[in-house]
Amino acid sequence: MEVRHGRELNETRDRLERWRVKQAREAFRTGDQWSELTARLSVKEVSAFLAAECQIPRRDVARFVRLAKVLGADRELYIEKGVAVSVLLDLAGQDEAVRSEALRMIRSGRSLQSKELRALKRDISLERAAAEGALDRTRIRDLRNIAVRKARAGVDAWLASLEKVVNAAHDVSEFDMLKGNTLTMAPKKIDRLAIKAAKLVEELPALVGREFAKAPVPDRPRSGKSPGSWPEVFATLRAMAKRRMFIEHRYERPETTVMDFDPHIVAQLAWAFGYDGCTDGDKARDRMREAGSVPLATQPGPEPTPFDRRNKPTVLEICAGAGGQALGLHAAGFSHAGLVEIDGDAAATLKHNRPSWPVLNADLRGLDLSHLKGVDLLAGGVPCQSFSAAGMRLGANDERDLFPEALRLVRELRPRAVMLENVTGALHVGNAVNRLRILSALASLGYDAEWRVIDGSEFGLPQKRRRSVLVGFQQGIMHRFRWPVAIGTPAPTVGEALFDLMSANGWEHAGEWGERANGLAPTLIGGSQRKKGIDLAQEKSRQAWMKIAVNPNGRALEAPGPGVPADHNPKLTLEMMARIQDFPEWWSFKGSPQQAFRQIANAFPPRMAFAVGASIMRALTGREIDLPAALLKPLAEPEKVPSEFARKFSMEARRQSAQRE
């Protein structure tokens, strides 16, 4: 038995040795690739490429670069010995003396560990300092470490004393409720409490400094949230040291005065230990968010408490179109701080359907939006023709490319998150360099960003609509973001999605058509203002439409009526196109039929925007949602706008009420 186990262990060792050799060789090849790429592209662009599209951690990018440069001369030895990639990357960042000693150790047969490099660096530095007669900096470090430990011990002792004061104050408060007037019935307890509080106040400056210990108490109203702060804790202790711990109550019958112990004292002191006076989970999470912390839920919980209107994360949407993306982001919990759209008809569509939204009909180029600095999310479907096949994939060379304007707004407004949607052509090989420049620009602005393709059919859309989406966050947020995954249930076919509309005029063969239309629609293509006429497809996708029994050449004014043959392939009405694009039934489009078609077909469907928006919302707030369950519900309802009569009536009622007062 032992012999058999020994053979298994030997086989495992040999297999892992071969794997380590292979990994070491590939690590050096990655470094070589860097050198080749930087001969043609900038360092920032290649760094963005390795981090965003090759999934190499950002901290490792520079280390791979050094790997090829500083260890290249001895690469065959490192490969032969199968040195772990983590050790190679750490070694590449060391100075020449450490690298030389490590190389000798590896050549001797040592299996070097990364933690040994740090100790090696320390000891070699000591030898160098001794040889040069330099000062021993470790003595300063040792003193600092001792000072930190002593300070921590002092704070821990002070907090332990504070905890005793909190418990004593709680006992006095309980005594007050049971026995009545605390000031006259428990004077010794009050004296001891004041002495302990005075001692804590006296010890404070040595621990935190006089400025922090005497910081002014923030002027915040008392509420159910039980606000607190360290200055408030310190102020409470100072008041207790002066025996200001009571609230005077006067009663007329019988005429008497009672001094009650201040019930706020315990809550104000207990705040220091994390107690906020409320165990409600949603309120506790809100308090953490207000303080700048984000509790991250990993499983969907009960229906979350809706955001207060004032606390809703805000979004500035550029190139807003007819509102498909806006509907999805609004359903995900964002409040629109602004929607910018250059097309007058699309802007009119937004204003008509959502009068409360701040819509700006303007050209984005050079537009001053500085009043929106600090918005939570910058989102938009920047013009896609410059990245599409129909647009010749001109990318940055296309006058319609508005990515530079989007980056300008990121630089000026500093949003916490960015979401830019485009056609999948943005990820085409011909647009790789321009894509990397965008990632590089975001990285230089301090944003972590990724580019992925999502498919609308994976989220219940009856259409094979694949879009590329760029999502970025200020540093420190990306770790909470994950891309939405398919909900796991099949999307409805075109026949299932449109049957009621196709049979609305009494076509007796609508059911048979529905069986023939048993697939997903190809991507609706709206095109730019240069496109004339209405057709659903380019040449490549025309046959795909015919396979699901739909004529893509133009549009129908209405659904087929009685007497239309069973083998008829109908055209789609604008209403049918809007449903395929997931617009709600009540959403109406302004402008000519040509303009309405363009607004519908160019939209980012609401449920796709909702899926990505919900993932961004989770990263910003930590709130998890059940995406499949959420997509079963209507994402939007018509906005209830009072009639002109109702508005006038309300104004007159307020005027009369003011007169009476």
Side-chain angles (χ1 to χ4, degrees):
M1 183 66 70
E2 290 184 359
V3 171
R4 188 176 72 182
H5 287 168
R7 287 174 180 169
E8 291 176 352
L9 291 172
N10 284 343
E11 290 174 0
T12 301
R13 180 196 61 201
D14 294 342
R15 185 166 58 252
L16 291 176
E17 284 180 356
R18 291 192 296 271
W19 179 79
R20 291 202 321 272
V21 168
K22 181 179 179 181
Q23 292 295 304
R25 181 177 290 110
E26 292 302 320
F28 279 105
R29 285 180 179 174
T30 301
D32 293 338
Q33 285 288 317
W34 165 275
S35 299
E36 294 175 10
L37 289 171
T38 51
R40 299 183 297 275
L41 300 170
S42 72
V43 172
K44 287 185 178 180
E45 290 165 0
V46 178
S47 297
F49 170 72
L50 291 175
E53 303 205 4
C54 300
Q55 300 188 37
I56 294 178
R58 288 191 181 276
R59 67 181 296 268
D60 288 343
V61 169
R63 301 200 296 170
F64 271 110
V65 179
R66 293 194 296 266
L67 179 66
K69 289 183 177 180
V70 304
L71 302 184
D74 298 294
R75 71 166 60 191
E76 293 305 323
L77 174 64
Y78 293 120
I79 293 173
E80 177 191 346
K81 297 294 185 180
V83 179
V85 174
S86 59
V87 175
L88 286 174
L89 294 177
D90 286 341
L91 185 58
Q94 302 295 333
D95 61 27
E96 184 178 358
V98 176
R99 293 199 305 270
S100 298
E101 178 59 26
L103 182 63
R104 287 194 287 269
M105 295 172 71
I106 292 170
R107 187 175 281 120
S108 74
R110 274 294 318 279
S111 179
L112 203 60
Q113 305 293 319
S114 288
K115 65 179 182 180
E116 293 180 285
L117 294 177
R118 293 188 290 273
L120 199 60
K121 178 181 179 180
R122 180 197 63 211
D123 294 347
I124 289 176
S125 297
L126 289 175
E127 169 59 26
R128 184 183 297 125
E132 296 175 354
L135 297 177
D136 186 355
R137 305 293 296 181
T138 60
R139 300 171 189 176
I140 297 175
R141 183 194 63 206
D142 291 343
L143 183 61
R144 286 175 176 167
N145 290 340
I146 292 172
V148 168
R149 287 195 295 269
K150 184 173 178 58
R152 187 179 291 116
V155 170
D156 289 342
W158 189 88
L159 288 172
S161 298
L162 176 63
E163 187 174 10
K164 292 179 181 178
V165 169
V166 176
N167 292 331
H170 180 265
D171 291 342
V172 171
S173 178
E174 292 290 318
F175 180 88
D176 180 65
M177 287 189 290
L178 293 173
K179 301 295 183 180
N181 196 323
T182 311
L183 184 60
T184 58
M185 300 186 68
K188 291 183 179 180
K189 288 187 176 183
I190 299 301
D191 288 342
R192 286 196 296 268
L193 201 55
I195 291 170
K196 291 177 181 179
K199 189 172 185 297
L200 288 173
V201 172
E202 183 182 351
E203 294 171 349
L204 260 179
L207 295 172
V208 297
R210 293 189 179 277
E211 291 184 1
F212 186 61
K214 293 187 177 181
V217 176
D219 183 16
R220 292 184 291 179
R222 296 197 177 281
S223 67
K225 294 184 179 180
S226 298
S229 65
W230 281 111
E232 194 167 349
V233 171
F234 303 154
T236 301
L237 287 173
R238 288 194 293 270
M240 293 174 67
K242 298 176 181 178
R243 290 175 171 74
R244 294 204 297 265
M245 293 180 259
F246 299 91
I247 300 175
E248 183 179 287
H249 291 289
R250 295 181 180 273
Y251 298 96
E252 294 180 358
R253 296 182 181 179
E255 186 175 341
T256 183
T257 299
V258 176
M259 301 297 289
D260 290 333
F261 190 79
D262 187 347
H264 297 302
I265 286 179
V266 175
Q268 289 164 345
L269 297 181
W271 175 90
F273 301 97
Y275 177 77
D276 291 305
C278 178
T279 57
D280 180 84
D282 283 330
K283 291 183 178 179
R285 294 183 189 96
D286 287 341
R287 285 194 297 271
M288 291 180 185
R289 293 185 185 105
E290 289 173 4
S293 301
V294 179
L296 180 64
T298 56
Q299 296 294 331
E303 192 71 21
T305 303
F307 285 103
D308 184 277
R309 184 179 181 87
R310 294 166 298 178
N311 297 328
K312 268 191 173 185
T314 54
V315 56
L316 166 63
E317 193 168 336
I318 59 176
C319 309
Q325 180 173 263
L327 282 170
L329 293 178
H330 184 77
F334 287 94
S335 173
H336 277 83
L339 299 97
V340 181
E341 172 54 46
I342 189 173
D343 182 72
D345 292 320
T349 295
L350 291 170
K351 293 176 182 178
H352 173 77
N353 291 284
R354 282 287 190 255
S356 64
W357 281 355
V359 178
L360 180 59
N361 182 199
D363 189 341
L364 184 64
R365 296 178 179 86
L367 185 63
D368 182 9
L369 295 170
S370 56
H371 62 287
L372 296 177
K373 186 173 183 179
V375 69
D376 292 296
L377 172 65
L378 172 67
V382 292
C384 62
Q385 292 83 6
S386 56
F387 288 122
S388 68
M392 305 297 290
R393 293 198 176 99
L394 297 176
N397 297 317
D398 195 310
E399 62 182 8
R400 296 166 292 180
D401 178 26
L402 288 183
F403 268 96
E405 289 300 311
L407 292 173
R408 173 182 67 84
L409 291 177
V410 172
R411 182 175 60 255
E412 294 176 357
L413 305 184
R414 304 299 300 171
R416 296 172 65 202
V418 179
M419 184 186 90
L420 300 176
E421 170 263 340
N422 211 292
V423 294
T424 56
L427 301 184
H428 189 271
V429 63
N431 290 319
V433 173
N434 190 41
R435 185 173 68 251
L436 297 181
R437 285 172 179 159
I438 293 170
L439 290 172
S440 174
L442 285 171
S444 66
L445 292 173
Y447 286 79
D448 300 315
E450 292 182 357
W451 220 315
R452 295 290 184 273
V453 172
I454 65 170
D455 192 330
S457 63
E458 295 182 342
F459 304 101
L461 196 71
Q463 179 186 177
K464 296 177 182 177
R465 193 172 187 88
R466 301 176 74 245
R467 308 294 285 184
S468 68
V469 181
L470 172 68
V471 170
F473 295 94
Q474 288 184 3
Q475 291 179 359
I477 301 177
M478 180 64 90
H479 68 278
R480 294 192 295 267
F481 175 76
R482 62 171 181 252
W483 291 97
V485 297
I487 59 177
T489 55
T493 66
V494 170
E496 292 169 339
L498 301 183
F499 172 74
D500 63 321
L501 296 180
M502 198 62 74
S503 61
N505 286 342
W507 186 26
E508 59 269 26
H509 300 294
E512 298 170 53
W513 171 83
E515 294 179 0
R516 290 191 292 128
N518 63 347
L520 299 175
T523 298
L524 265 70
I525 299 174
S528 68
Q529 294 290 349
R530 301 176 183 179
K531 179 179 177 180
K532 304 300 180 183
I534 297 176
D535 60 85
L536 305 185
Q538 297 174 350
E539 197 58 41
K540 289 183 179 180
S541 58
R542 205 169 298 279
Q543 291 302 315
W545 281 105
M546 297 299 291
K547 285 182 179 180
I548 57 171
V550 173
N551 183 350
N553 300 315
R555 72 177 179 103
L557 297 179
E558 59 182 11
V564 174
D567 61 352
H568 174 63
N569 288 347
K571 297 178 181 180
L572 301 183
T573 64
L574 290 177
E575 184 182 8
M576 296 173 186
M577 298 177 198
R579 180 175 291 185
I580 287 178
Q581 279 286 71
D582 196 44
F583 279 100
E585 304 292 326
W586 48 268
W587 197 265
S588 61
F589 300 88
K590 297 300 180 181
S592 67
Q594 170 74 32
Q595 292 297 330
F597 164 71
R598 184 175 291 114
Q599 292 173 44
I600 294 169
N602 283 338
F604 190 32
R607 63 180 50 238
M608 294 180 73
F610 174 77
V612 181
S615 294
I616 294 174
M617 179 65 74
R618 177 182 186 267
L620 294 178
T621 68
R623 296 188 177 189
E624 180 71 281
I625 69 160
D626 185 342
L627 184 59
L631 287 173
L632 291 176
K633 304 174 184 178
L635 295 184
E637 298 292 341
E639 185 168 319
K640 296 180 180 179
V641 180
S643 65
E644 188 65 26
F645 172 79
R647 282 196 293 269
K648 290 180 179 179
F649 179 85
S650 178
M651 292 173 62
E652 180 63 18
R654 288 197 298 271
R655 186 184 66 79
Q656 293 180 11
S657 176
Q659 286 179 346
R660 287 194 298 270
E661 292 177 358

